[in-house]
Each structure stands twice: as C-alpha cells, then as structure tokens.
Amino acid sequence: MRLHVIGGLVILQIAWLPTLSLARSYNERFDEDLTLRSLPDGKLLAHFDFTTHVDATMAPGSQLLDYNLFPKVIGQVLQQYDVDEMHLTFSQGRWHYDHWGYPPEQSAGTGVELWAWMQNHTNIDARWHSLTNTLSGLFCASLNFIDETLTTQPALSFGPDDDATKSTSQLRFGYLPHENVCTENLTPWIKLLPCKAKSGIASLLNAHKIYNSYFHSMSIHAKRQCKDNQCTMELKQAVVSVMDPVRDTNRRDWSLEDVFARVPRGACPVADQSLIRVAVNDDAILSPEPTMKGKDFTMYDLKQVNDSLDIRMTWAEDTFHYPLASALPMISAHRYLTGHGQERGGIQVTLQNRHDAPVLIVYYDSIPWFLKLYLHTLDIQVVGDDDNAQHDIVEQMLYQPAVDRARPSMLECKLLLPARSTVTLSMDLDKVFLKYTEHRPDANRGFDIGPAVITAPVLNGIDNRTMRIYTDTLLVSLPTPDFSMPYNVITLTCTVIALFFGSIFNLLTRRFQVLKVEKE
C-alpha cells in the first residue's frame, strides 16, 4: 500500500498480488532527469530522460503479470512478440551537427524510425508486421505503413546492447521519412509515465513549446532479458528539443517559465531520483542557488524542493552576437542527389574525418525499390592531407538488391577513413516509372528518401561506445504523369455532352406551334 500526492490529490495505491505469485520478488525503480545546455548559437537544448527498471524473480518460462511502475502495455508488447530490444523514435526538424555537435540521443533523423531485435522463432516477419500495427495504434502514428518495401535487415549497424542477443535474435529495421509528429503522438507517450504530466519533470512537457522548436524528437527504448528465473525489463523514454530564446527577445537569457510556460512543483512521488542538470557556463549567472555543483553541471534535486522552481540563466549583455565560427564535429556526413531530369541520376555521399588518426565506421543506406542502383558504378575517392593516404578503404561490403514492390536496396560498408581526409562515395541510379495508382496525392512534390546512417566510435578514449550520425532526408522527383489531364478531358467532355445533349433534347421535346397575332 502506497500513499501518493499528485496534483493536490491524495491517491491510495494498493497492489493486490495473486496467491501463486507470493514466491516472486519485484524490484522497481523510476528515475527522471532533465538536462539543459546553452548552445553556441544562442539556442537552448533540453533533454528529458525517464527510466523505468524492473527486476523480477519468477519461475522459468513464466510471464510478468504484476505491473506497478512499468507500463503494462509495453511489457505485453515485448512478451507477446518475443522482442528483446525495441527502439522507436519520432523526430521533426534538422539537427545541425556543425553548430550543435552530436545529439544526446542516438537517433536524429527526420521522420519515424523503428527497429527491434526479435527472437529466432517461426513467422518472425509476421510478428514484425503485427508489432508495427500494434505500435501504430498505440501511438496514433502511421507505423502500419512500414511493410516489406520499407523493411531491411542490417548486419553491421544497429547492434543490440547485449552481445548475447545477436545469437538468439534477428533485427528488423524500418523508416518513415514523411511522417509528421504532433500532439497525437505525445499524449500516449506521456501516459506511459507513472505520474503522467501531473507532477515532476514531465510537467514541463508543454506541447505548444516543444513543437514550436527548431528540432524535437521523442523516443522509446525498451529491453527485456530473461535468464533462468531472473527477468529484467527496462524502459527509457527521452525527449530532445532545441529551442530559441533569442528569437523573441534578442537575448539568450532563459528561464523555465519563459521556455516551457510552466515550472515544476516538486518531484514525481514514486521517483527514486528527480534531477535537473544545467550545464556550467562561466559567463552566465544562474539562479536560484543549485542543490549540488559538479565540474560540468550544476544540479537541482526536485525531491528537496517543496515549492515551484523557476531556474533562470542570464548573461551580462544587451544583445546576442551570433558566432560566425563553430566547432566542427570530428566525423560528419552529407548525402546529395546528382544529375538532372526525371529518368536518371545518381547519389553521392561525402564523409569527413577531422581526427588525427584513422577511424573505422559503418555506412548504412536503404534506397526504395523505385530507385534502381547500379553497384558496378560505385566510385570511391579519397582526398586527405597525406598524399600516401590509403585509397582501398573498404574492409567489408554487404549489398542487397531491390525487388520491385517487394523490398528496398540496402548497402552496408565498413570503411576505414584515413586521418584528416574526405571520402566521397557515388553511384548511378535510374528512376522507375510508377503506376498512376502508386503516386502520392501530392505527386508533383516528390518522394521522401530516409537518411543514411553512419555508425562511428565515440572518440573520447574512455570506452568503446558508438554513436550514430544521420544525413539529411532526400526529396526525389520521379517521372510524373500530367494528373491534370483527366480533369481537362472530363471538363471538355462534359461540356460537349451538355451542349449536344441539351440542344438535341430541347429540339426533341419542344413543340412548335404557329402563333397568329390578331390586329386590333
């Protein structure tokens, strides 16, 4: 039995356990964190992080039936479809690596990304299809459009957190670059939190402010590991938003009230940890006094705050001067379309390594079936400070050709980028003539192509973690028929028929009589 106070309401929570589950033991933990960082161009980065962890001891092969902090709907999805790991991200906007550095979350591509490691059982494709349909209804998104034409099975990218998962599971990856993100996706996302948006850090998730930013992403990372009689489930929910205080006031000063139009009033009652971290800036004044101070961050513990907390950071300047120079990332990637016309073209990728040592990366790209790639036209050029730079940089390559209306093309390359070098990959392609029923309603706009993903090591010399770098999405113009012609034909035909039919019908039905006019 627990007593909670949420939003001024006293809630008595009683957990009833079945008689057969008395031998089981559960250990749950919920943490909420918010990290605020002022970016060099005056914008503010807000990173929300909510983590729910469950350790359960149960009989081998049994399912977790008692849920408290962990959302039951996510637990049932993981158990129903035998999912070991699931990663779902909704993003909108463009992440500027040249100005903001690397994002705090792995995924930063525009659109919706879904990939999952599913156990090696029969009908894995059917379970993947059911998973996308279930998540589509759960988050009010178009995830059901991730069919076989958008699904790939990467072998070198998107590895699991646990290496043992690779031997017992298979990976499925899907991307929707044209999917928009709105409050219909945020509302069910917030309902997965123990306190919803009633208290704690989640109360700052104001949809009007989040969706009025330059970039925002909303992600869910769920894991399930069961071994012997021990089962562990973890759910991480994250929101990343890049806001612009300078746009309204010409100053980079900010406060929680100005940025989110809300302030937190204490922590979530069931949270074990509730912290707001603010990046240290020597040129700014931070108020009120933080609870804890560190080397890079100052922290506020909401569990020690009984009243509303409005954090404010100010600079001693009248106006903000936009910096012309910015720190370029060590590894960057850009992808372009080449050629002209609506029949043929090409794709070109530029990879830059600004590090003083060679870097081993993995390049992943999925191209829809209506763009026919020619692998024999693949050309790799290396330009570096060292004239003796290694030009044979491809260590491993995996290519899956496309099948019309069945699967996309997939290219994975393990590349060794020389130090201080620029590597350019280019390929030719043809654009397919689609059936008129396969065009989108806005056919003349074009088709969106998902971003390429570069998996690179974190160059800090501390651990072996990896990061993912996303290129921009592409907009491809395919051979498009004149969809206005049917309208013109129908209009002209209807006009002719109306005039002809009206005249003939008038002549056939009208009675002509001689009218004699008598003189007075």
Side-chain angles (χ1 to χ4, degrees):
M1 181 175 64
R2 295 185 179 183
L3 185 64
H4 303 315
V5 179
I6 301 178
L9 300 177
V10 179
I11 299 177
L12 181 63
Q13 180 181 4
I14 303 177
W16 295 97
L17 299 180
T19 306
L20 296 178
S21 63
L22 294 177
R24 304 178 182 180
S25 62
Y26 296 91
N27 183 17
E28 295 181 303
R29 178 182 176 89
F30 173 71
D31 297 331
E32 56 178 4
D33 297 277
L34 171 61
T35 302
L36 301 171
R37 182 192 301 272
S38 297
L39 300 175
D41 58 353
K43 296 180 177 59
L44 177 66
L45 172 63
H47 179 208
F48 296 83
D49 193 349
F50 306 92
T51 304
T52 306
H53 188 89
V54 178
D55 289 328
T57 302
M58 61 186 68
S62 62
Q63 294 185 352
L64 182 63
L65 301 177
D66 304 320
Y67 291 90
N68 186 18
L69 300 180
F70 198 91
K72 184 177 181 179
V73 62
I74 299 297
Q76 290 180 337
V77 167
L78 298 179
Q79 296 176 359
Q80 177 70 25
Y81 304 113
D82 292 330
V83 178
D84 291 333
E85 285 191 25
M86 180 183 69
H87 304 269
L88 174 62
T89 304
F90 299 83
S91 301
Q92 198 72 33
R94 178 187 177 190
W95 182 270
H96 297 276
Y97 291 91
D98 296 342
H99 298 285
W100 305 338
Y102 296 114
E105 288 294 320
Q106 288 280 12
S107 180
T110 303
V112 176
E113 176 188 83
L114 172 64
W115 54 284
W117 283 90
M118 311 177 73
Q119 294 182 7
N120 288 327
H121 298 322
T122 57
N123 300 326
I124 186 171
D125 292 326
R127 285 188 285 121
W128 166 254
H129 180 70
S130 300
L131 176 64
T132 56
N133 282 269
T134 301
L135 295 177
S136 176
L138 180 62
F139 293 101
C140 299
S142 302
L143 295 173
N144 55 310
F145 285 95
I146 301 180
D147 53 7
E148 63 274 3
T149 63
L150 297 176
T151 301
T152 58
Q153 304 178 32
L156 304 177
S157 306
F158 306 101
D161 295 338
D162 186 9
D163 294 336
T165 305
K166 276 191 174 183
S167 59
T168 59
S169 304
Q170 293 186 22
L171 174 63
R172 293 296 185 271
F173 177 87
Y175 205 98
L176 289 176
H178 192 60
E179 181 72 10
N180 293 320
V181 186
C182 63
T183 54
E184 291 182 351
N185 311 124
L186 181 62
T187 300
W189 186 93
I190 292 179
K191 290 183 178 180
L192 300 178
L193 299 173
C195 295
K196 310 298 187 286
K198 302 299 182 181
S199 63
I201 294 178
S203 62
L204 297 177
L205 293 174
N206 187 352
H208 296 282
K209 295 296 184 177
I210 295 295
Y211 293 135
N212 193 29
S213 58
Y214 277 79
F215 173 87
H216 57 83
S217 70
M218 177 183 67
S219 59
I220 288 179
H221 311 282
K223 295 189 299 182
R224 180 177 69 100
Q225 296 178 355
C226 293
K227 186 177 181 180
D228 297 333
N229 61 343
Q230 188 71 23
C231 188
T232 300
M233 300 178 67
E234 181 178 303
L235 175 64
K236 178 182 178 182
Q237 300 176 244
V239 170
V240 177
S241 180
V242 178
M243 305 177 178
D244 189 8
V246 184
R247 180 174 54 185
D248 300 327
T249 61
N250 293 328
R251 294 173 58 90
R252 52 178 172 170
D253 301 343
W254 58 265
S255 67
L256 294 182
E257 178 67 30
D258 296 336
V259 173
F260 301 105
R262 299 173 182 176
V263 292
R265 302 181 183 277
C268 175
V270 296
D272 295 275
Q273 175 180 295
S274 182
L275 296 178
I276 297 181
R277 297 180 172 89
V278 182
V280 175
N281 196 314
D282 298 333
D283 300 333
I285 301 175
L286 184 64
S287 62
E289 189 68 19
T291 308
M292 296 172 284
K293 293 184 179 180
K295 179 180 179 181
D296 299 325
F297 293 93
T298 57
M299 289 168 282
Y300 296 86
D301 190 355
L302 293 184
K303 298 181 72 67
Q304 301 179 10
V305 177
N306 298 323
D307 199 358
S308 60
L309 175 64
D310 187 12
I311 303 175
R312 179 176 299 273
M313 180 173 283
T314 57
W315 279 262
E317 56 186 12
D318 297 332
T319 58
F320 172 68
H321 300 281
Y322 191 87
L324 298 179
S326 58
L328 298 177
M330 288 295 179
I331 304 294
S332 61
H334 300 278
R335 188 177 60 165
Y336 315 93
L337 286 174
T338 59
H340 59 278
Q342 293 185 337
E343 296 181 4
R344 298 177 181 86
I347 188 170
Q348 180 173 310
V349 183
T350 302
L351 306 172
Q352 288 185 312
N353 177 21
R354 299 181 179 90
H355 198 58
D356 294 330
V359 178
L360 183 64
I361 68 166
V362 176
Y363 173 79
Y364 166 84
D365 202 350
S366 177
I367 304 297
W369 62 269
F370 49 77
L371 296 180
K372 297 296 184 182
L373 293 178
Y374 294 104
L375 188 61
H376 70 278
T377 63
L378 177 62
D379 181 44
I380 300 178
Q381 297 180 0
V382 181
V383 178
D385 297 339
D386 187 5
D387 296 335
N388 297 324
Q390 180 182 0
H391 289 265
D392 188 13
I393 64 173
V394 180
E395 294 195 354
Q396 187 178 359
M397 178 182 295
L398 300 176
Y399 177 71
Q400 172 186 274
V403 177
D404 289 350
R405 300 171 181 85
R407 72 181 185 190
S409 300
M410 186 190 70
L411 176 64
E412 278 191 296
C413 296
K414 185 177 290 186
L415 306 174
L416 182 63
L417 302 183
R420 298 284 180 178
S421 64
T422 300
V423 178
T424 303
L425 289 77
S426 60
M427 272 191 299
D428 296 338
L429 56 85
D430 283 346
K431 303 176 183 180
V432 176
F433 285 86
L434 299 179
K435 301 177 182 179
Y436 80 95
T437 55
E438 295 175 338
H439 285 274
R440 301 178 62 92
D442 51 349
N444 292 285
R445 177 186 176 272
F447 288 79
D448 294 274
I449 309 301
V453 184
I454 290 85
T455 304
V458 178
L459 303 176
N460 55 9
I462 300 177
D463 48 24
N464 296 324
R465 293 185 299 112
T466 59
M467 60 180 177
R468 289 193 294 271
I469 304 170
Y470 288 73
T471 64
D472 294 335
T473 57
L474 299 178
L475 187 62
V476 181
S477 179
L478 296 181
T480 306
D482 186 5
F483 285 100
S484 65
M485 185 55 67
Y487 172 78
N488 297 334
V489 172
I490 293 173
T491 303
L492 180 61
T493 304
C494 291
T495 303
V496 173
I497 291 177
L499 293 176
F500 176 78
F501 176 80
S503 301
I504 299 300
F505 183 80
N506 192 19
L507 293 174
L508 293 177
T509 59
R510 177 177 294 181
R511 297 175 61 184
F512 295 92
Q513 294 181 356
V514 179
L515 180 62
K516 296 181 180 181
V517 180
E518 297 180 357
K519 296 181 179 180
E520 294 180 359

